[in-house]
Amino acid sequence: MGALRVTADSSTCVTSSLCVYRLAQVFDQDEQGRVVVLDENPPEGLRRELLRAARGCPTGSIRVEEAGEGVGEGVDE
């Protein structure tokens, strides 16, 4: 397992806030309530919670990838 890279598409975010509640050290919300990634390369120790946040996103706006992988390559638990 390598370093993680987290991205989020704020244009598809529906402001459910689930990601912020799960991992406030990685996610926040902008003035409109849309997701903002605070830490694009969080520690490996957060892998399980990051994957849960990505799976729990109602619009699939959150992506967790291995750093250096191509876009669209998700991380398996």
Side-chain angles (χ1 to χ4, degrees), residues 2-75:
L4 299 174
R5 180 172 177 258
V6 177
T7 58
D9 184 352
S10 63
S11 70
T12 59
C13 178
V14 293
T15 69
S16 72
S17 307
L18 296 173
C19 57
V20 177
Y21 293 133
R22 188 173 296 277
L23 284 167
Q25 67 268 43
V26 177
F27 302 104
D28 200 359
Q29 293 173 286
D30 65 14
E31 299 80 31
Q32 289 79 39
R34 293 190 174 127
V35 65
V36 174
V37 177
L38 300 175
D39 186 356
E40 291 182 1
N41 301 106
E44 174 66 32
L46 295 178
R47 177 181 291 264
R48 182 177 296 264
E49 288 301 311
L50 286 163
L51 293 174
R52 286 182 181 156
R55 282 193 305 265
C57 178
T59 60
S61 298
I62 297 170
R63 296 281 305 169
V64 179
E65 303 169 335
E66 297 286 346
E69 295 272 334
V71 174
E73 297 294 322
V75 173

